[in-house]
Structures are given as C-alpha cells and as structure tokens.
C-alpha cells in the first residue's frame, strides 16, 4: 500500500488516483447506478410499489415482471428500486447525524481536556462496550417500530466512532501554531472549534463515514428483517427479505433480489471506504509527504 | 487499525445477514431420538413424532391442562365431539338439582394410569387445584365450588343459575387427574390421568414430551405405542422442513403458500379441515369517532373484499363468514345472517351519508377538516395477518380511507387501540372452546366480556346474554342466541372476514387421523396408526 502511494507525489492528483484505484472505481460506479435508480425510480418502472394486485401474486420472473411478483401481487423489481431510495436516504441520514454528534462531542472533549474529557471519554467507552444493534433494539422497543424510529435510534448510537477519532485529531490540532496564534489574538473558543478544528477533522473521518454507510444499511436491513423497521407496505430491503422468507420454497425471488441489493450496496460502500482509507489515512499521508 | 476492524466487521455482518434466510429456513433440526430405532423392538413401528407449534414448558395440569388434554393424557368430565356436540366423558350423567347446583354422576369403571380408581375425591382435588392455581380457569368456568356427595357423585355449585355448566365441564383446562400425581415444590411433574396415552417424561430444556400407550384405557386401546411431541416449533417453514426431511411424522400449519406443493407430493397426506377460528377486524374503540358512527362501521364492512382474501391470502384455506364467528355446522349458528358482502358503491354511499367526503380532492375523505387517516394494527406470529392487513389497507384506499399498517407485539397493540381510527386485524380466536354459544358471545359482546376491550355495549345484548346463560330450556336458548347474533351483526360490533381452515401434514404412512374442528388448533385421536 505504501509503495503504491509513492507514485502519487503530488497531492493534487490524489482524486485522479482515487478513481484509478480499482475498488474505488467499482464502488463509485455501483453507487452512481444505485443513485440513478433511487432518483429516477418513478420513471424506471410502470408499476406502483404498494398497490396490491392479489390476482397476480407469486408470479415467477417473466418479461413483464423481471424479478417476479410478491405474495400480494406487487412487482418485486419496482419494490427493490423504491427500496433503494429509502435505504440509501436513511443510511445517509444516520451517518450525517452520527457525524454531527460525534464530531461535536469529540472535539469538545479533545480541545478542553480535563474533567470534561474524562466524562465524555467514559461515555464513549460505555457506548462502545455495548453492541450497537442491541442498543438499537432496546431504543426501538421503547419508541415503537417504524422506519423513522429505527433511523433515529441508529443515528443516536453511531456517533461514538466519530467522537473517538475526532477527539484524537482535536488533541493534536490544538497544539498547532495557527491555533495558538488565534488564541493569542483573542478568537473565542466557539469560533475556533467550529471554523478551524471541526473542518480539519472531516477529511480523515470520510473513510469512517463511507464504511459506516454500508454498516448503517446492514443495521437498517437487520432491524427491518426483525419487523422493527419500515412497516408494510413500505418497500425496504430487510422487511422484504422477511416477508419473502415464508415463501422461500415456492417463491425464491421474493427474498433473493432484496438480499442481492443489500449485498451490492454494502459492498460498494466498503470498496469506497477501502480506497478512501488508502488515499486519505493521515498516517499514510505522512509517509507520502515525507 | 480501527477502520480495518469496522470494515471486517461489516463484511462479517453482511455475510451473517445474507445467510439468515437460509439459516432460518433450514434450521429444522429436531432431535427426536430416531437414532434409537436400531436398538428398539417391534413396538417402535407404532411411534408418532409430532412437531407442535406452541411451547409446552410445563406439565402441571393447572397450567398446561389444555396441552395434556389435546394429547389425550388427561380427560374431562364431559367431552366435545368433532361435530361440537356434548357427550358424557368421565361423567356418565348430570342433572340440575336446583338453580345453582348441578349433580354429576361419575363412571365407576375409570382407572388412572397408576391403576387406581377414579373417585369423587380426585375430581374435587382437580377442580380445587385448577381453580386455585390458575384463577382464569375459575373465571372461565363460572364455578363457585365442587362438593363430594359420595364416591361417584359430586355437586357443582355455581354463582348464578348457569345452563352452560355441562358444556363448561368439557373445557380443555378443566382436566381431571389423580391426587397421587407426583408433585415437586407444589408443581406437578408427573401428571397421572385417565386418557389413552400415559405421561412418560418431559424434558424442559428440549421441550420434548413423551407419551406411551395406556393398555387399560376404558374406551378402546389406542393403536400407537409411543407419541413424541416436540414443542415450540413456532416457525411454519421450520415445521415444513421437519416433515419433508422425515424428522417428524405429523405437524400442522405449514406456510400458507406451501400446501399445494405438499398435497402434490405422494409422500405426504395433507388434511385441510375447518376450525372454529377466523380473521376479523376489531374496531379499536366503538365509543369514539370515527367508529362510534354505525354508518362508518358498515362502510368498512362492505369495503373488505372477503373473496379475494380467502383466495389469495388464505390460499383457499378458509371460507367467507356470515359476519359471526360460528362456522357452518354449529347448531347455535344463525344461518339466516348474510353479513356484509363486498360492495364498494354501498360503502362509498354510507360514508357520504356519515358526512365523510373528499372536499380537497386529495383522494382521502375528510369531515370538518379532519382527514380519514387511520391505523391497522396486527401482530406477526400468525403468518396470514400482516399480508391480510396490507390487503385491507389497499382496499380501504378504494373508498378514500388512508390506512397505515403497523405490526407489533400483541400486548403493545392493546395500548394503542384508543388512538383515533385504530383497528386491530385479528386472527386465531376460537369460537367454541366449550360446546355452548355463551363462551364466545359473552366474551366478545357482553359489555363486561373478557375480550370486549373495544367497548361494545348494547343493553339488549347484555340482557339477552344474561338471560341465555340462566335459561335451562334449550329451544329458548336457541332463540335467544340467534337474536344476539343478529343484533351484533347489525351493529357491526366487529367485521368478521373469514373462517380459517387448518392444515395437518402427515407422512403418508400415518393413517386414521380424524379432523376435529372443535380443537383449538389440531387434536390427535386414539385411532391414529402407522402403516408401512
């Protein structure tokens, strides 16, 4: 990995390098395709994702219905496409909120240090000790099932990773000369944190975010599979897997296609995450710049 | 390093998720001790292994009386036949002494599994214990006390004049067992009964119950030597796998869509028969808008396309209801009722009369600025319920009602039924736990009924139900209960959609199963035998 970086001496060429990186290229292509599906869903398919047509239920894949129809006669392809919207949007929301919470807590903790730092780090360790999916189950159990509640629960639980990394970054950034210079001229803490420290933490966190996107989709799908996420008839990959499960023997297409979509999306985000790590990891960068 | 971990973890989780489907469907590994076959002697041929959907968890008759009765270990004083008629069981006759006392004469030739004779002491012991350990049994039976008169006679004292007592004695939880049943810390661990099968052992960890043949059974010796019941096989697809892999000989309720495939396989017998069970819509609160308006309730009853539900959601394993829970064949059923056949025009008309119109042209009805947006609640354990709720949702759309489907635990739904426009899509409630109409009608439609949590109150119905319970003349009771059914259906107290037909799947070597519509789900019978 380090060897490959040595070819990339000029930082400006990094973005071009990124695309040449095989896994990033595959990942981005897949994501662009998925985004296309999500954006143009209503124009891509003539069917309605929730309209029940009982007289056409459990039809195997055909020209009319390339992915077949489900137990209520709905076109599986249409539902899979519409589910792309819901799953990807929800996971972006989860990652966004987690990042905002995580960075805020992380930089405050790193910048101020002392008691505040101890309390916040203790909190992070507590959260890290408990598996995220179990906490999500508890939260959703209290809030009641539903896509919004699941998204909210996962958003509130995903911040710890960001907080830990941004705290470490804040610890080193606050020692830099430009921060000291600003302090000397009397810039207040809020301005410093939001305008100078936070932006400097974002690029190293992008790798984490890309991987978190894939992870968020899995968590959403897992909770959907357990019936806690999207409520029927809303198309959501995990919920579709669950609905199709009891028809597995007579209608494999009900659960195979949503399962494949989860696989492709998570893989795509993981590919991008891998590539980003290669290119943006601060430790790697130091090696290159030296 | 941390990034690497997350990456690996998410791929790992993905693999887990991608295989969940397979795991769940193919996890039908049921240990039934088949490996012992080689060592066993001739007797093992007559062995039946059952995959039972519900967990057994206890063999104390006060808690698991229904299960032990269903598997023919324990019996009741009177029996309900598959045609819902009442016949003598451990009792040979009964008579009314005064308004609140029933005298029951016991058969004198009944021998327990431990070769002791059944006497009035055992009967009194069983009733006292059942009612003390499990207060719901007392409530359901309506019995004040049981008194011994002589060795083979008892008196049953009731709170109020009660015509349903002989029927209530056949209730699966009013089981009779020997006072010598082995107890440990107040819990019976070895119940001694009078049924065709003897309790052998029960293993709580694996939830496996083993029974053996009762050679001295008073009513014909059963043909099976051993019955092994694997409890708690809750997943329909797991039961299907278990029977297809040959791990069990007998099971029930495969996934709805699989019955046809199993029927076409000569290795299996699929027996589909009616049950006194079904699917209905329960209005969350009948005393609050919008369902306090009978026109709205009627519109909803007309808007449900029951025929397509029976055909495509129940896969023809069902029958359209006449608006009432009693299935055809029950003598108490009011066969003149027709219910609410699918009629969109009528539904729209009724909603218009009730003041619900689409004034802002958004496709959703509104009244006084309030849009008709409501919620359909249902639970996931009965596989037909979620798709049924989704279908009802799309049918409501046709008349301009915007419904949301929410699937959650049964107990969580209860708290939400007071929300505006909440409806519970329900299934599974049995209409004939005892061969008397009072059980179903009182529980659901008496203003004080146990299952009437939705606030149905009609004073005429209350009066008739009280009268029916205390009237001893059968013809008069017929008339009373027919009238109750008519009023309740006219009031649209609930929307009964369809009756549910049960499917039993056995290996083709299993013969002699007699369908029993009066059972809670299925019930085995002593005539079952294995033919190679």
């Amino acid at each position: 990995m380090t060897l490959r970086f040595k070819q990339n001496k000029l930082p400006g060429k990094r973005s071009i390098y990124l695309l040449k990186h095989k896994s990033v290229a595959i990942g981005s292509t897949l994501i662009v395709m998925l985004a296309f599906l999500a954006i143009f869903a209503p124009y891509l398919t003539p069917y309605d994702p929730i309209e029940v047509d009982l007289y056409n239920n459990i039809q195997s894949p055909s020209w009319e219905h390339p992915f077949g129809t489900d137990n209520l006669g709905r076109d599986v392809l249409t539902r899979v496409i519409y589910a792309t919207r819901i799953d990807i949007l929800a996971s972006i929301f989860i990652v966004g909120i987690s990042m905002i919470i995580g960075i805020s807590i992380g930089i405050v903790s790193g910048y101020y240090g002392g008691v505040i730092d101890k309390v916040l780090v203790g909190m992070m360790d507590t959260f890290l000790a408990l598996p995220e999916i179990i906490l999500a189950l508890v939260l959703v159990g209290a809030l009641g099932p539903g896509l919004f509640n699941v998204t909210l629960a996962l958003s509130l639980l995903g911040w710890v990773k960001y907080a830990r990394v941004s705290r470490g970054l804040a610890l080193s950034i606050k020692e830099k000369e430009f921060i000291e210079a600003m302090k000397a001229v009397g810039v207040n803490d809020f301005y410093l944190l939001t305008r100078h420290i936070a932006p400097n933490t974002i690029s190293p966190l992008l790798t984490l975010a890309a991987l978190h996107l894939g992870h968020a989709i899995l968590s959403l799908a897992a909770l959907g599979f357990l019936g806690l996420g999207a409520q029927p008839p809303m198309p959501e990959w995990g919920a579709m897997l669950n609905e199709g499960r009891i028809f597995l023997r007579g209608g494999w297409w009900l659960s195979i296609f949503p399962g494949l979509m989860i696989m492709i999306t998570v893989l795509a985000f993981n590919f991008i995450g891998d590539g980003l790590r290669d290119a943006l990891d601060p430790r790697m960068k130091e090696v290159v710049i030296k | 390093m941390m990034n690497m971990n997350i990456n690996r973890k998410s791929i790992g989780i993905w693999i887990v998720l991608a295989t969940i489907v397979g795991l769940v469907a193919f996890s039908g590994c049921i240990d039934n001790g088949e490996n012992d076959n080689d060592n066993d002697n001739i007797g093992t041929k007559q062995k039946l292994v059952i995959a039972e959907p519900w967990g057994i968890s206890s063999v104390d008759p006060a808690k698991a009386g229904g299960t032990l009765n269903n598997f023919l270990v324990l019996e009741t004083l009177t029996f309900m036949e598959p045609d819902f008629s009442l016949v003598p069981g451990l009792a040979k006759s009964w008579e009314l002494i005064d308004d609140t006392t029933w005298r029951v004469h016991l058969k004198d030739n009944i021998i327990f599994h431990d070769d002791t004779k059944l006497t009035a002491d055992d009967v009194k012991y069983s009733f006292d214990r059942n009612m003390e350990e499990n207060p719901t049994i007392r409530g359901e039976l309506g019995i004040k006390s049981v008194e011994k008169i002589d060795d083979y006679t008892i008196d049953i004292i009731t709170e109020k004049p009660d015509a349903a007592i002989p029927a209530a004695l056949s209730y699966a939880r009013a089981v009779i067992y020997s006072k010598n049943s082995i107890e440990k810390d107040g819990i019976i661990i070895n119940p001694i009964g009078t049924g065709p099968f003897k309790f052998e052992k029960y293993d709580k960890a694996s939830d496996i119950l083993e029974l053996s043949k009762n050679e001295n059974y008073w009513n014909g010796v059963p043909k099976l030597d051993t019955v092994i019941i694997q409890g708690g096989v809750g997943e329909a697809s797991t039961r299907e796998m278990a029977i297809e892999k040959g791990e069990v000989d007998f099971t029930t309720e495969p996934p709805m869509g699989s019955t046809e495939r199993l029927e076409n396989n000569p290795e299996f017998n699929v027996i589909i028969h009616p049950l006194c069970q079904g699917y209905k819509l329960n209005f969350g609160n009948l005393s609050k808008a919008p369902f306090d308006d009978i026109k709205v309730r009627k519109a909803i009853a007309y808007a449900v396309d029951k025929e397509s539900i029976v055909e495509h959601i129940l896969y023809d394993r069902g029958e359209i209801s006449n608006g009432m829970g009693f299935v055809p064949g029950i003598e108490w059923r009011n066969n003149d009722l027709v219910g609410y056949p699918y009629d969109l025009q009528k539904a729209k008309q009724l909603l218009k009369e009730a003041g619900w119109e689409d004034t802002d042209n958004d496709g959703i009805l509104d009244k006084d600025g309030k849009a008709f947006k409501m919620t359909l609640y249902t639970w996931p354990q009965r596989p037909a319920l979620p798709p049924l709720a989704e279908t009802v949702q799309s049918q409501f759309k046709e008349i301009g009602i915007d419904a949301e489907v929410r699937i959650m635990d049964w107990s969580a739904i209860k708290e939400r039924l007071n929300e505006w426009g909440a409806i519970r899509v329900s299934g599974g409630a049995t209409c004939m736990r005892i061969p008397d109409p009072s059980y179903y009608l009182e529980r659901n439609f008496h203003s004080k009924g146990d299952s009437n949590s939705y606030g149905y109150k009609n004073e005429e119905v209350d009066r008739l139900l009280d009268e029916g319970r205390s009237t001893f003349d059968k013809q008069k009771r017929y008339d009373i209960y027919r009238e109750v059914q008519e009023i309740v259906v006219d009031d649209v107290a609930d929307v009964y959609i369809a009756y549910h037909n049960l499917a039993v799947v056995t290996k083709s070597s299993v013969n002699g199963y007699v369908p029993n519509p009066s059972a809670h789900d299925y019930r085995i019978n002593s005539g079952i035998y294995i033919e190679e």
Side-chain angles (χ1 to χ4, degrees), chain B residues 66-226:
Chain B
T67 310
L68 292 166
N69 179 257
N70 208 36
F71 292 115
L72 313 183
V73 178
L74 304 182
E75 294 179 305
T76 47
L77 292 180
T78 59
F79 291 171
M80 174 161 54
E81 289 286 278
D83 64 356
F84 302 101
S85 61
L86 183 70
V87 295
L90 299 179
K92 89 184 153 200
S93 63
W94 50 89
E95 68 209 311
L96 193 65
I97 306 238
D98 60 53
D99 269 2
T100 54
T101 311
W102 283 89
R103 177 151 294 172
V104 179
H105 303 280
L106 305 174
K107 284 179 182 154
D108 55 10
N109 61 339
I110 309 284
I111 293 170
F112 277 116
H113 295 153
D114 64 351
D115 296 330
T116 56
K117 267 199 149 181
L118 171 117
T119 65
D121 290 325
D122 298 297
V123 175
K124 182 170 166 49
Y125 161 80
S126 303
F127 270 96
D128 287 350
R129 193 174 178 282
N130 287 342
M131 294 197 295
E132 192 189 308
E133 298 275 316
N134 197 337
T136 55
I137 296 182
R138 180 187 290 275
E140 284 168 330
L141 290 173
I143 291 174
K144 194 173 162 193
S145 64
V146 175
E147 305 301 338
K148 177 184 170 182
I149 304 302
D150 63 43
D151 268 2
Y152 295 103
T153 314
I154 54 160
D155 273 357
I156 289 177
I157 322 284
T158 59
E159 304 272 358
K160 286 179 279 188
D162 191 346
I165 285 295
L169 296 180
S170 75
Y171 182 45
R173 292 163 84 179
V175 281
I176 308 299
Y177 40 98
S178 163
K179 55 185 185 299
N180 301 326
S181 296
I182 297 160
E183 276 188 39
K184 192 183 160 195
D185 305 329
I187 294 165
I188 290 184
I189 52 165
N190 192 342
I192 296 170
T194 55
F197 294 109
K198 286 195 268 194
F199 172 85
E200 279 298 324
K201 62 178 183 197
Y202 170 65
D203 179 40
K204 196 163 183 171
S206 56
D207 213 9
I208 291 174
L209 174 65
E210 266 188 64
L211 312 175
S212 65
K213 179 198 253 181
N214 175 8
E215 297 279 1
N216 304 318
Y217 184 54
W218 59 274
N219 196 11
V221 180
K223 292 173 176 159
L224 292 169
D225 294 314
T226 320

Side-chain angles (χ1 to χ4, degrees), chain B residues 462-473:
Chain B
D462 280 4
R463 193 187 61 77
L464 285 168
L465 285 172
D466 290 339
E467 193 186 326
R469 187 78 180 261
S470 55
T471 301
F472 294 101
D473 182 278

Side-chain angles (χ1 to χ4, degrees), chain B residues 458-500:
Chain B
N458 182 324
E459 272 159 26
E460 179 67 2
V461 170
D462 280 4
R463 193 187 61 77
L464 285 168
L465 285 172
D466 290 339
E467 193 186 326
R469 187 78 180 261
S470 55
T471 301
F472 294 101
D473 182 278
K474 200 166 180 184
Q475 193 53 50
K476 272 190 195 151
R477 297 190 80 210
Y478 274 136
D479 296 339
I480 290 169
Y481 286 117
R482 267 160 201 278
E483 199 182 337
V484 170
Q485 293 175 53
E486 201 182 317
I487 300 174
V488 164
V489 172
D490 271 349
D491 276 351
V492 208
D494 55 25
V495 179
Y496 212 104
I497 300 170
Y499 310 118
H500 170 73

Side-chain angles (χ1 to χ4, degrees), chain A residues 82-164:
Chain A
Y82 275 88
T84 315
R85 270 186 173 183
I86 288 164
D87 279 83
I88 292 188
L89 271 181
S91 64
I92 289 174
F93 183 84
I94 292 168
V95 171
I97 300 285
S98 301
M99 264 182 115
I100 292 171
I101 301 177
I103 293 176
S104 317
I105 294 180
I107 57 177
V108 165
S109 169
Y111 181 76
Y112 288 108
V115 182
I116 297 178
D117 188 36
K118 285 220 168 83
V119 171
L120 290 175
V121 168
M123 214 164 94
M124 293 176 209
D125 287 344
T126 317
F127 269 85
L128 271 183
L130 298 162
E132 191 185 324
I133 199 92
I134 304 287
L135 281 178
L137 278 174
V138 173
L139 256 178
V140 175
L143 295 169
L147 182 66
F148 180 77
N149 290 346
V150 163
T151 312
L152 191 73
L154 291 173
S155 305
L156 294 179
L157 296 170
W159 58 272
V160 188
K161 311 185 253 297
Y162 300 102
R164 285 185 72 96

Side-chain angles (χ1 to χ4, degrees), chain A residues 52 54-55 57 71-72 74 145 161 208 218 225 231-233 245-249 263 270 274 277, chain B residues 3-4 6-7 10-11 14 20-21 24 235 241 244 308 312-313 315 390-391 393-394 405-407:
Chain A
V52 171
L54 286 181
Y55 292 91
N57 63 347
N71 56 323
L72 297 177
R74 300 169 299 201
K161 311 185 253 297
L208 207 53
L218 275 179
F225 183 83
Q231 295 291 296
R245 189 172 47 94
I246 49 171
F247 299 96
L248 204 59
R249 304 298 302 279
M263 181 187 109
N270 277 343
D274 273 354
R277 189 191 53 225
Chain B
N3 295 350
M4 288 281 281
I6 290 161
N7 188 21
S10 44
I11 290 180
W14 165 70
I20 269 180
V21 172
V24 173
E235 277 282 337
M241 286 300 295
E244 286 198 89
S308 74
H312 298 284
I313 302 296
Y315 294 87
E390 285 180 74
T391 308
Q393 175 194 41
S394 87
V405 175
R406 308 225 29 209
I407 294 167

Side-chain angles (χ1 to χ4, degrees), chain B residues 30-93:
Chain B
I30 290 163
D31 175 25
N32 55 25
E34 280 216 331
N35 300 340
D36 303 342
N37 266 3
D38 304 336
N39 312 331
D40 277 347
N41 45 29
I42 337 145
T44 45
K45 272 200 171 168
Q46 292 300 320
K47 173 171 129 182
L48 187 75
V49 183
I50 300 175
E52 155 75 19
W54 306 101
I56 298 167
S57 76
S58 168
V59 288
D60 188 325
K63 304 233 155 48
T67 310
L68 292 166
N69 179 257
N70 208 36
F71 292 115
L72 313 183
V73 178
L74 304 182
E75 294 179 305
T76 47
L77 292 180
T78 59
F79 291 171
M80 174 161 54
E81 289 286 278
D83 64 356
F84 302 101
S85 61
L86 183 70
V87 295
L90 299 179
K92 89 184 153 200
S93 63

